Amino acid sequence: MDGVEIREICLSLRWERESLSQFLSAHGLRLEPDVECAFGLYQEDTLSGCGCACGPLLKCFAIDAPLQGQNGLGLLLSSLTQDRFQKGYFNLFVYTRPHNAAMFSRCGYTVVGQTDCVVLLESDRNGLDSYLAGIPRPVKRLDCIGAAVMNCNPFTLGHQYLIQQASSRCDLLYIFVVEEDRSFFPFLDRLSLVQEGVRHLPNVLVCPGGQYMISSQTFPAYFLKDTECASDLQSELDITIFGERIAPALDIQVRFAGQEPLDSVTRQYNKTMTHLLQRYGISFVEFPRIMSGGEPISASRVRKLLGEHGCVTPELSSLVPTCTRDYLLRRFGSTR
């Protein structure tokens, strides 16, 4: 690519960030606010292509037509990969439209899952298989294996109740704790609380969700049309990956969730599970939420009380198991 220079775009400089935003806009795309780094293809100081990253996620790719097919994407991926490796991210992910998947595949990326509207690829060709290989398996075949995916931000009596009910309906229950560290409480703390809170249930295995339980917080929307709903596309892709790849590998036959009377996004996600999981022969069971003081017990309610009082109140203590209460007391203290 004669006459083309690749260099990092300094996002801290307003004019460079605005130039990147305008370039993406000209390609019908949006610059997402969480972008941490960006690289550009320049022809005589004119931006002609770009690619960005946030954590292990690569996104916001756009290349002018004359440079398409001339390894512009490969140059951008190479620079972004080097930057991400230096930051400690060794398996990188790309969401894109299905018609773009072949371009990323030619650059070494492997499809994780695909729907009619979006595809997820990763740089490690064995990434998902390696993740699944690390999940414990039963030593003998069981009649019923179930699963639930939870954020547990933090772990509440509602989560504990759901797990107890689900574990009573199957021989083995996998609990996948969402691993992305974009929650109020760190992932390792959330994972530890769930493990401690279900220790009395011998048929429950608590596992990290890895990079393959997709969160609406990290699903990119920069390439979506105004008429498309990001959370709907995210949930369809997430459930597709679970149904096509994760459930068969672990012999999961049923997925559990709590009913969602408050959050519309989660409620729609449950509806999507209802009709999508049956395609893969997986049953879906929703449990009613348990109540306290006339309201559903929820992690958001716990966080709201913490925000209002800055400490553990008697009301808050009534919403969480002992392990979570003790953890919160260590972090925030209690009312005098």
Side-chain angles (χ1 to χ4, degrees), residues 1 5 7 22 32 36-37 57 81 91 127 131 147 149 152 166 169 201 216 218 248 265 270 312 321 329:
M1 298 179 64
E5 176 190 10
R7 65 174 186 254
Q22 291 168 5
E32 296 197 311
E36 297 171 350
C37 79
L57 181 61
T81 298
N91 188 20
Y131 164 74
V149 179
C152 299
R169 297 199 180 195
L201 301 171
S216 58
T218 55
V265 173
N270 285 0
V312 178
L329 284 170

Side-chain angles (χ1 to χ4, degrees), residues 8 36-39 53-56 79-90 92:
E8 186 169 4
E36 297 171 350
C37 79
F39 286 85
C54 174
S79 295
L80 287 165
T81 298
Q82 184 176 359
D83 177 271
R84 294 294 87 187
F85 278 17
Q86 291 174 351
K87 301 295 191 300
Y89 301 106
F90 302 111
L92 307 178

Side-chain angles (χ1 to χ4, degrees), residues 213-272:
M213 310 290 174
I214 302 168
S215 166
S216 58
Q217 290 181 302
T218 55
F219 183 80
Y222 72 93
F223 58 82
L224 303 184
K225 300 176 182 176
D226 291 337
T227 55
E228 294 179 304
C229 176
S231 60
D232 288 351
L233 297 184
Q234 170 264 326
S235 60
E236 184 180 2
L237 179 61
D238 186 49
I239 296 163
T240 298
I241 293 170
F242 181 86
E244 290 184 349
R245 305 287 302 276
I246 296 172
L250 301 176
D251 198 25
I252 294 169
Q253 297 109 37
V254 57
R255 182 153 167 181
F256 300 96
Q259 291 177 351
E260 184 47 70
L262 302 176
D263 185 80
S264 60
V265 173
T266 305
R267 186 164 59 249
Q268 182 58 45
Y269 186 95
N270 285 0
K271 288 182 179 179
T272 304

Side-chain angles (χ1 to χ4, degrees), residues 312-327:
V312 178
T313 63
E315 180 185 358
L316 191 157
S317 293
S318 71
L319 305 177
V320 297
T322 302
C323 60
T324 303
R325 183 202 64 197
D326 292 347
Y327 165 79

Side-chain angles (χ1 to χ4, degrees), residues 71-112:
N71 199 36
L73 179 61
L75 289 174
L76 290 169
L77 286 173
S78 178
S79 295
L80 287 165
T81 298
Q82 184 176 359
D83 177 271
R84 294 294 87 187
F85 278 17
Q86 291 174 351
K87 301 295 191 300
Y89 301 106
F90 302 111
N91 188 20
L92 307 178
F93 296 85
V94 173
Y95 295 89
T96 188
R97 295 294 192 184
H99 67 265
N100 292 326
M103 292 190 297
F104 286 96
S105 294
R106 287 193 291 270
C107 293
Y109 277 70
T110 300
V111 173
V112 176

Side-chain angles (χ1 to χ4, degrees), residues 153-154 184-185 298-308 316:
N153 185 34
F184 185 85
F185 296 98
S298 67
S300 59
R301 185 175 168 189
V302 172
R303 297 194 303 274
K304 181 174 183 289
L305 289 169
L306 279 175
E308 291 173 349
L316 191 157

